[in-house]
Amino acid sequence: MKAIMGRGHDLRISTVGEGFETPEQRDLLRRAGCNAVQGYLFGSAMPNPIGETRSIGLGA
């Protein structure tokens, strides 16, 4: 996984981890270098009629 995240960073692309549900999964994504995450740990899926997107940065 870290190699995949590294490739995104090499290309200057933000990486987003999706579908995680536990703090352990979130921490794994953080260690792998993921820029942002979305998943049930922060909240269930909600309709978005406006088409805006939001993400939560993990920080360093």
Side-chain angles (χ1 to χ4, degrees), residues 2 4 6-10 12 14-15 19-20 23 26-28 33-34 36 43-45 49-50 54-57:
K2 194 164 191 167
I4 293 169
R7 176 67 58 179
H9 292 158
D10 291 345
R12 297 182 185 190
S14 292
T15 53
F20 74 96
R26 178 203 55 213
D27 294 342
L28 175 67
C34 203
S44 61
I50 300 173
R54 295 187 318 176
S55 64
I56 299 172

Side-chain angles (χ1 to χ4, degrees), residues 5 8-9 13 17 21-23 25 30 36 38 40 44-45 52 58:
M5 299 298 169
H9 292 158
I13 297 172
E21 298 180 6
T22 67
Q25 291 170 330
R30 180 182 291 143
Q38 64 183 39
Y40 284 106
S44 61
E52 296 177 3
L58 289 174

